[in-house]
Amino acid sequence: MELTRAQAMSHFDMAIPHAGASLKQLKEEGKKVVGFYCMFAPQEVALAAGTTAVALCATKEEPIADGEKTLPRNFCPLIKSSYGFAVTDKCPFFLHSDLIVGETTCDGKKKMFELMAKFKPMHVMNLPQSYQTEADKEYWLASVKELKQVLESTFSTEITDENLRKAIHELNEERLLIQELAQLMKIDPVPISGQDLLKVLWARNFVFDRNEFSMQVRELIGELKQRAQRGEGALPKGAKRIVVTGVPTGLGAEKVLSIIEECGAAVVYIENCAGMKQYVTLVDEKQSPLEAIAEKYLNTHCSCMSPNPKRLDLVSEVCSEYKADGVVDIVWQGCHTYNVESRILRDHLKEKNDLPFLHIETDYSQGDVEQLKTRIQAFLEMLA
Amino acid sequence: MMSEKYVVAGVDVGSTAVKVSLYDGDRLQNWLEPTSWNPRQTAADLLVRAASDWGIRIEDIQSVYGTGYGRANMPFLTKAITEITCHAKGASHLYPGVQTVIDIGGQDAKAIRVEKGGRVSDFIMNDKCAAGTGRFLQVMANALGLDVSELALSTSLQNDGCQINSMCAVFAESEVIGLLNQGVSRPAIAAGLYKSIAARIASMAARIQPVMPLLLTGGVARHEPLRLALERELKMQVIVPPEAVFAGSIGAVLYAWDDLQEEDA
């Protein structure tokens, strides 16, 4: 059967090209903008403050040279790219942000935020190093409460519980919708490629009207279900099924995903911050809102957390649910936490799932594409 | 059986040399030619030469399986398979029962765990870097005023090599020049170079938990001081079969043969 692509993808093809103009328009209408880099930023609080929350650029190679004028060269490409974009004003979302919210995640990022604070209003949330103890939870709740106060005073507004509940409900609905979309990847042949799925998840950050985005995703889900009924796939039936995990691989930094699919395998799940990480847990709507928000965000299973058992369990679970044939763990050069955790994850998956595992350490450049192709092809040959 | 008259070919287009193997289910023969600026032409020419030596025309070759860096760019190929898969298969032909293969080529190094039948169960490859490869040896030999083929002969075998700390070919070259200026002898520097490559390869190989029998393949395998240094680093016997350089093309030719048998069956 011929391999085809869903028509509703056209919405998401255009999301990023349109985003700059639509944000500019929002600004002209007097809307305030809060920029964030990371999944730990509690977006509900920004929404409840009446601001628009936008993701900031960090996934292109081009600004890295500008980042390296200030940052060490052996930093991870994501941090160098973020800083290069910011310092040159090449990221329109950074430019239009009234406040940047960062978190003390990895060493590279928290020190970069200190430099960034010299030229941009910045609030850095203190994050504990683990999500396991009561003390961790209290510490983070205090950070979330502080963020609320900072937003209230920066934008001279009051964040009410009612507005928080509304924002929680809205984002929960979106998370459930994205979960429904991701579940379609359990079908063989996959009705959408992993690269297109990534594009949808990434586009989420560039469509500022949450309702509009939900409608686009609903349309896509409807179309994909029809495709599945007709047996239409984005990749051949029986394609090897790969779960990708590790560092964020947003658009511009998706080369490993592209190579996997060029080699004929399907990326059936993207377990990282550009993929499903923010959508797998909901905010408990029955609890008091700030506490519930704090709980959800602290449960983000990032490698900056020590230890990080939630990631191990989640990847293990996803691999069985999505019938994975193998796991590809992607690590940016200079990302020590994901790099070390790769060994822990490999051993865990060996024991729990007995799955082949490929560790890939790379950066944003195209210089190693041929070497990566050889590795990925060899990995797929091993699965055959 | 139909397949008795078949001849199949394996072509391994490496960064330094092109290797061709022909096989008819009984006889297996190998050819080698240094890679030119035009690897595609080198491979085509070598295949023609191999066919003529064998006593057939190139059109008589039933299928051609390619591997190595140049595999993507070869129009006459029936199928391309990565060098990792082929080296494992070739190594288990050269040494049945092999469990680990360390292959050091012109511009990469890899360690492979091999299962029965030459299947890969795990592997690791070095980064985009010349460290611990044939290219590294070439650059260092030049710094010592030697051809790379003379390097092994000019090496002290007493395990008294000096310490070379840089693994980057560019930095290591400066370090070697520094050592020469301090008056350190060429054999001691050469031994130090082999020792540092062996240490690098051994720590890479540790990630796939190597077990014996362990084969060293690829062009660099013919450097005896490296084999000895690797044995010291790995604390394991390191076997270099006579056709070590042909492991990739032999693996490719065997896969071509297996697939043909399957089609017939």
Side-chain angles (χ1 to χ4, degrees), chain A residues 240-292:
Chain A
K240 290 290 162 199
R241 302 170 63 79
I242 303 297
V243 165
V244 161
T245 180
V247 294
T249 54
L251 287 194
E254 77 280 30
K255 74 174 171 189
V256 177
L257 274 73
S258 315
I259 295 172
I260 293 171
E261 294 199 322
E262 265 169 42
C263 291
V267 173
V268 294
Y269 196 91
I270 308 164
E271 195 289 301
N272 65 33
C273 290
M276 290 302 292
K277 200 158 265 183
Q278 63 170 312
Y279 303 109
V280 288
T281 51
L282 302 182
V283 178
D284 184 355
E285 295 187 33
K286 288 190 215 84
Q287 269 192 63
S288 83
L290 273 191
E291 276 77 1

Side-chain angles (χ1 to χ4, degrees), chain A residues 333 343 346 356-359 361 363 365 367-368 370-371 373-379 381-384, chain B residues 69 71-72 80-86 107 119-123 125-129 206-209:
Chain A
Q333 277 162 15
R343 171 50 65 167
R346 173 196 282 260
F357 184 93
L358 181 67
H359 167 87
E361 192 182 347
D363 59 14
S365 75
D368 60 353
E370 287 307 314
Q371 282 96 326
K373 261 187 204 159
T374 298
R375 265 183 243 199
I376 287 163
Q377 261 168 18
F379 184 66
E381 285 166 2
M382 193 173 105
L383 304 180
Chain B
Y69 273 100
R71 70 184 181 284
I81 304 180
T82 64
E83 50 270 38
I84 292 154
T85 305
C86 287
Q107 62 179 30
R119 283 181 56 90
V120 177
S121 65
D122 199 2
F123 68 93
M125 238 172 127
N126 75 336
D127 298 322
K128 48 168 184 177
C129 169
R207 291 175 173 252
I208 57 147
Q209 292 155 328

